[in-house]
């Protein structure tokens, strides 16, 4: 397979400078002296007391602040922010008589923060085990149930007490709610314990088991009730198991909304313009253009994990070998069970190098088959006592329209989807290729309506794979993890490779720059980093998944990552401590004749109103450095359906110039790398 190893970006060409940037392991030894633990405790205590004084005496209160030791990184600020939330610093004082009990609770939380972190770190610097150090540190935390079983109250000034950071807010609730004080204590204990170890004398990765679940062509809005005819969630088990006890990322995106390039980016942590995989097939597309010498499997296997791949790999996988040669198995996988060509029935799985055929019986439905194989991999891994990484890639809800027989007709009563952008009547402000796209006729609309129903039905088997079904006697992956006693030591990540158009802007399918194609559903469940459920609105990208695995798994003795990640680890987004997070990102696509690149910004205040800008360039002559462009610009706050292109408004000239410069900072070779001499993929 020499030709296979020569594909894409040569690993030897990655500059050494970049290798340091992708080190996911601690860059220093952490705090090693008891005196440093004492300084940390003092710093947190003073910051907490300052908040308490302002709550009692107002913003004119005099505070003493002590800087934490450098070895503790952000631990002091993270701890205080966790314990006080929006009251760090308070906006004003509160009525000390009316909110007496709430003030006592808040003060108790502040005491617990400094005592637990300082005490646990002190005993860790003395060589005590994490468990023994924690036992010494729990005294103040254990008083929270006694002092914080109070009703949350809002002062006339608007200040709410008690209040904590979003990581533990589910235990507190809003005004009128009774604090679940035991749950609050446990949440604080879990997070503070992880954070102390992060900056302790021998920082180590968490090294959880990891289950990564990937769907195919699933829109971001297909897990909740948006498309349900019943007023209930489309995927209730997934939302309960993952969203109900983890983090739901409400702004998750894929950087190229097409199967193969998106999956290559997931496997590598790199943009498509770096992986060299632009399409599903043809020139610069498919599995044969992906340099697989580094991928999630090799990363996790080198870190000492037992690795397993189940389901859809990359488009064109079957072209990587020719009979009578045995089927190709990419490096990095201890167990390999991949579709030769992804189907729901009458398919072949390459099972550790052997081609195994499956038929058309109801029990051969591929989502169900992959579910059972994944559960067996988990069971075997636990029995072997090895940390495991499972990559489970379902075909659903990709076409053809084949729900499991038990789900056919379940969504037949769904009201047709008709958002404002549906079959957009006036596209005169859109690029030429959109203007040349005719409106959907009656038959096309009927076909898309049926595709939508079938896709919602196909997701039901995925939902059961995660959460099980008593009706059909299905044990799901989450119950399997619980039965084996490893659920709380396992990260479960749910994502999709791209979205899908159901008639918006006259489209079906994907590979276009509008929101329906580039957004993904995303959940992360890991109680050690997210003890209680919450939503996270900051951007998460498909290129972030591989760096996240690296931070979770790599030990100081493991070899460095041999590529430069374009993404960033989500670990501190998951545990709520991220600062300075990205405020924009790049998406890109190479469909023949309409190549595009987009910069999408986060929602930001421009001094007078909220804005959420999205800017797209489409070269007239792809690959030509002197090409002219067509442009699109939308403010997603005022125009969430991308109906009115305001790129031609002179008032937006400065905005366009700034975003055009940002596009070239994110993709320096643009538009040279937009060569349109490629085969148009089958987008379905």
């Amino acid at each position: 397979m020499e030709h296979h190893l020569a594909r894409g970006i040569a690993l030897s060409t990655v500059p050494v400078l970049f290798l340091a940037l992708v080190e996911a392991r601690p860059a220093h030894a952490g705090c090693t002296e008891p005196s440093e633990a004492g300084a940390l405790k003092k710093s947190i205590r003073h910051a907490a007391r300052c908040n308490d004084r302002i709550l009692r005496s107002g913003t004119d209160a005099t505070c003493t602040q002590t800087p934490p030791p450098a070895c503790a990184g952000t631990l002091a600020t993270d701890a205080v922010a966790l314990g006080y939330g929006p009251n760090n610093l308070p906006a004003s004082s509160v009525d000390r008589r009316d909110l007496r009990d709430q003030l006592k609770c808040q003060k108790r939380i502040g005491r617990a923060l400094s005592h637990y972190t300082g005490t646990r770190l002190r005993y860790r610097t003395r060589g005590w085990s994490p468990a023994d150090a924690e036992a010494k540190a729990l005294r103040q935390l254990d008083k929270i149930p006694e002092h914080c079983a109070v009703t949350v109250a809002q002062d006339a000034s608007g200040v709410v007490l008690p209040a904590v950071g979003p990581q533990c807010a589910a235990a507190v609730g809003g005004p009128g709610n009774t604090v679940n004080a035991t749950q609050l204590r446990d949440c604080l204990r879990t997070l503070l314990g992880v954070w102390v170890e992060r900056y302790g004398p021998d920082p180590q990765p968490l090294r959880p088991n990891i289950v990564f679940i990937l769907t195919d062509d699933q829109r971001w809005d297909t897990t909740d009730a948006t498309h349900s005819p019943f007023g209930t969630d489309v995927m209730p088990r997934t939302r309960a198991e993952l969203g109900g006890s983890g983090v739901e990322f409400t702004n998750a995106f894929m950087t190229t909304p097409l199967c193969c390039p998106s999956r290559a980016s997931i496997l590598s942590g790199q943009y498509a313009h770096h992986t060299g995989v632009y399409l599903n097939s043809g020139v610069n597309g498919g599995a044969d253009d992906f340099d697989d010498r580094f991928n999630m499997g090799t990363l996790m296997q080198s870190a000492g994990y037992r690795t397993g791949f189940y389901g859809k790999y990359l488009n064109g996988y079957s072209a990587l070998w020719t009979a009578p040669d045995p089927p190709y198995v990419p490096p990095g996988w201890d167990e390999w069970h991949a579709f030769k060509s992804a189907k729901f029935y009458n398919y072949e799985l390459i099972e550790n190098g052997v081609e195994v055929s499956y038929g058309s019986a109801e029990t051969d439905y591929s989502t169900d088959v992959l579910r059972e194989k994944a559960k067996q991999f988990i069971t075997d891994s636990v029995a072997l006592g090895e940390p495991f990484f499972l990559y489970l890639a379902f075909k659903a809800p990709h076409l053809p329209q084949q729900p499991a027989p038990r789900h056919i007709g379940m969504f037949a009563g769904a009201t047709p989807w008709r958002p404002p952008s549906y079959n957009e009547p006036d596209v005169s402000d859109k690029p030429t290729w959109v203007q040349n796209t005719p409106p959907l006729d009656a038959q096309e609309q009927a076909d898309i309506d049926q595709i939508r129903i079938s896709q919602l039905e196909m997701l039901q088997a995925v939902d059961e794979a995660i959460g099980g079904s008593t009706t059909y006697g299905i044990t799901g992956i989450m119950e399997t993890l619980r039965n084996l006693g490893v659920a709380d030591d396992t990260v479960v990540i749910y994502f999709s490779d791209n979205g899908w158009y159901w008639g918006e802007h006259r489209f079906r399918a994907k590979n276009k720059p509008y929101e329906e194609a580039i957004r993904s559903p995303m959940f992360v469940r890991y109680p050690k980093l997210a003890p209680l459920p919450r939503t996270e609105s900051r951007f998460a990208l498909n290129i972030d998944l591989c760096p996240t695995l690296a931070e979770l798994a790599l030990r100081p003795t493991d070899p460095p990552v041999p590529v430069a990640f374009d993404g960033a680890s989500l670990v501190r987004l998951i545990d709520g401590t991220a600062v300075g997070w990205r405020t924009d990102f790049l998406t890109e696509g190479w469909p023949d004749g309409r190549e595009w690149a987009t910069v999408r910004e986060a929602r930001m205040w421009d001094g007078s109103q909220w804005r959420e800008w999205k800017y797209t360039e489409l070269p007239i002559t792809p690959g030509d450095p002197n090409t002219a462009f067509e442009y699109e610009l939308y403010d997603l706050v005022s125009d969430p359906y991308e109906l009115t292109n305001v790129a031609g408004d002179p008032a937006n000239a400065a905005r366009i110039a700034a975003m055009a410069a940002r596009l070239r900072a994110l993709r320096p070779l643009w538009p040279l790398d937009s060569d349109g001499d490629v085969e148009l993929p089958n987008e379905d």
Side-chain angles (χ1 to χ4, degrees):
M1 297 297 296
E2 289 81 1
H3 75 285
H4 188 60
L5 296 178
R7 297 191 309 272
I9 300 171
L11 300 185
S12 61
T13 66
V14 177
V16 174
L17 172 64
F18 283 134
L19 298 182
L21 299 179
V22 300
E23 286 288 342
R25 290 152 288 176
H28 55 80
C31 297
T32 58
E33 299 295 330
S35 60
E36 294 169 326
L40 173 68
K41 184 175 183 178
K42 184 177 182 180
S43 177
I44 297 174
R45 183 173 67 244
H46 283 169
R49 285 178 177 174
C50 182
N51 286 336
D52 293 334
R53 285 175 180 168
I54 294 173
L55 287 169
R56 286 167 169 77
S57 304
T59 55
D60 291 335
T62 301
C63 293
T64 300
Q65 300 282 12
T66 305
C71 65
T74 63
L75 179 53
T77 55
D78 292 341
V80 179
L82 174 65
Y84 285 84
N87 294 327
N88 182 40
L89 295 163
S92 69
S93 61
V94 299
D95 189 309
R96 298 168 62 178
R97 179 163 30 182
D98 288 349
L99 273 69
R100 180 186 59 184
D101 292 340
Q102 290 79 8
L103 283 166
K104 289 172 63 176
C105 168
Q106 192 73 70
K107 186 174 183 179
R108 180 59 59 183
I109 292 170
R111 288 181 181 175
L113 298 174
S114 61
H115 182 267
Y116 180 91
T117 52
T119 303
R120 176 163 175 159
L121 184 59
R122 182 172 75 250
Y123 282 99
R124 291 290 284 130
T125 62
R126 292 177 178 176
W128 289 40
S129 71
D132 290 341
E134 180 180 56
K136 283 286 188 179
L138 286 174
R139 180 168 57 88
Q140 292 293 340
L141 271 176
D142 282 342
K143 293 181 179 180
I144 286 179
E146 175 186 351
H147 293 275
C148 283
V150 300
T151 300
V152 179
Q154 184 169 19
D155 184 68
S157 66
V159 173
V160 175
L161 280 179
V164 294
Q167 305 97 318
C168 297
V172 176
N177 185 67
T178 300
V179 175
N180 186 329
T182 300
Q183 190 179 65
L184 173 60
R185 176 203 60 194
D186 293 345
C187 181
L188 295 171
R189 173 184 176 181
T190 297
L191 286 170
L192 292 172
V194 170
W195 298 348
V196 169
E197 293 303 310
R198 183 180 288 167
Y199 296 105
D202 185 26
Q204 295 291 324
L206 291 165
R207 291 182 62 77
N209 307 309
I210 299 172
V211 174
F212 174 53
I213 300 169
L214 184 67
T215 53
D216 196 344
D217 290 1
Q218 182 180 3
R219 291 167 58 111
W220 91 97
D221 57 358
T222 53
T223 66
D224 61 15
T226 300
H227 297 281
S228 172
F230 315 112
T232 56
D233 292 332
V234 170
M235 300 184 72
R237 302 167 186 85
T238 300
R239 294 194 64 83
E241 290 280 13
L242 305 183
S245 58
V247 182
E248 178 179 4
F249 286 80
T250 57
N251 277 302
F253 294 83
M254 57 287 295
T255 52
T256 305
L258 186 65
C259 295
C260 196
S262 180
R263 289 165 186 263
S265 291
I266 288 169
L267 286 164
S268 66
Q270 296 179 315
Y271 282 121
H273 67 263
H274 284 151
T275 67
V277 180
Y278 308 144
L279 300 167
N280 285 342
S281 61
V283 180
N284 294 324
D288 60 341
D289 272 324
F290 179 60
D291 190 334
D292 60 15
R293 287 177 296 173
F294 172 80
N295 62 72
M296 279 184 170
T298 59
L299 170 73
M300 300 303 290
Q301 195 177 67
S302 68
Y305 277 65
R306 183 171 187 256
T307 60
F309 187 100
Y310 294 80
K312 180 178 175 179
Y313 179 48
L314 298 174
N315 302 65
Y317 165 58
S318 62
L320 297 182
W321 73 93
T322 303
D325 292 340
Y328 179 71
V329 176
W333 304 101
D334 297 304
E335 290 289 332
W336 179 260
H337 302 257
F339 286 116
K340 182 178 180 181
S341 180
K343 298 179 182 178
F344 292 105
Y345 293 107
N346 299 309
Y347 54 91
E348 296 79 33
L349 289 178
I350 305 305
E351 303 196 9
N352 296 324
V354 177
E355 185 173 320
V356 180
S357 297
Y358 293 79
S360 57
E362 189 170 334
T363 54
D364 289 323
Y365 190 68
S366 64
T367 303
D368 296 343
V369 169
L370 293 174
R371 177 196 71 222
E372 293 304 307
K373 288 182 177 293
K375 288 160 50 183
Q376 189 62 54
F377 172 79
I378 293 170
T379 301
D380 293 344
S381 299
V382 173
L384 290 169
E386 299 179 13
F388 61 83
F389 169 53
L390 167 64
Y391 188 126
L392 177 57
F394 294 113
K395 180 176 174 59
H398 196 288
L399 299 187
Q401 299 159 225
Q402 288 188 304
R406 62 189 181 273
H407 302 131
I408 293 175
M410 182 174 174
F411 284 82
T415 302
W417 180 240
R418 299 293 186 266
S421 56
Y422 182 83
N423 206 13
E424 189 173 355
D426 181 5
V427 294
S428 59
D429 62 332
K430 295 289 192 292
T432 302
W433 73 268
V434 181
Q435 296 180 36
N436 292 337
T437 301
L440 300 168
D441 62 29
Q443 185 58 57
E444 290 170 325
Q445 293 185 50
D447 290 345
I448 291 173
D449 288 344
Q450 185 56 53
I451 287 172
R452 173 171 170 260
I453 289 170
S454 296
Q455 288 190 311
L456 296 174
E457 291 173 352
M458 285 188 278
L459 288 171
Q460 299 313 297
V462 176
D463 196 44
E464 292 169 348
I466 295 168
S469 171
T470 55
T471 301
Y472 298 108
I474 295 170
T475 299
I477 288 170
M478 292 307 303
E479 185 176 354
T480 299
L481 293 169
R482 285 191 292 270
N483 291 342
L484 293 169
V486 296
D488 288 350
D489 293 313
T490 301
V491 177
V492 182
I493 303 171
Y494 186 92
F495 203 80
S496 173
D497 63 350
N498 52 255
W500 185 270
Y501 295 100
W502 284 334
E504 294 91 348
H505 310 292
R506 308 181 178 182
F507 304 145
R508 62 180 274 176
K510 49 206 174 188
N511 207 16
K512 305 170 185 72
Y514 304 105
E515 293 292 283
E516 293 79 12
I518 66 173
R519 295 186 69 174
S520 174
M522 183 176 181
F523 299 96
V524 177
R525 183 191 186 275
Y526 185 34
K528 287 187 177 179
L529 292 180
L532 295 177
R534 75 175 200 277
T535 59
E536 173 57 67
S537 62
R538 285 173 287 187
F539 290 141
L541 308 177
N542 58 349
I543 56 175
D544 296 335
L545 298 171
C546 201
T548 301
L549 268 57
E551 181 169 356
L552 288 170
L554 290 183
R555 300 158 295 194
T557 55
D558 288 325
V561 177
V563 301
F565 289 140
D566 292 318
S569 170
L570 297 171
V571 166
R572 283 161 184 77
L573 211 58
I574 297 168
D575 78 358
T577 62
V579 294
W581 195 248
R582 67 166 65 92
T583 57
D584 62 16
F585 65 92
L586 172 76
T587 57
E588 51 193 6
W590 284 262
D592 186 23
R594 46 183 171 83
E595 288 76 0
W596 55 270
T598 294
V599 174
R600 191 192 190 285
E601 292 185 347
R603 184 164 298 196
M604 292 182 282
W605 184 255
D606 72 356
S608 61
Q609 60 185 313
W610 291 102
R611 299 283 199 179
E612 192 171 349
W613 291 106
K614 181 176 179 180
Y615 170 73
T616 300
E617 291 187 2
L618 301 97
I620 303 297
T621 310
D624 182 352
N626 299 312
T627 183
F629 294 92
E630 292 186 279
Y631 304 97
E632 290 185 273
L633 181 68
Y634 302 97
D635 175 8
L636 298 177
V637 173
S638 61
D639 185 15
Y641 295 99
E642 299 170 274
L643 295 173
T644 304
N645 178 12
V646 296
D649 186 342
N652 293 322
R655 163 62 49 188
I656 288 176
M659 296 189 77
R662 180 58 177 155
L663 192 161
R664 285 154 179 80
L666 291 168
R667 188 171 164 179
L669 294 180
W670 175 261
L672 290 174
D673 56 359
S674 63
D675 184 4
D677 187 19
V678 294
E679 177 185 334
L680 182 65
N682 179 356
E683 294 182 352
D684 281 351

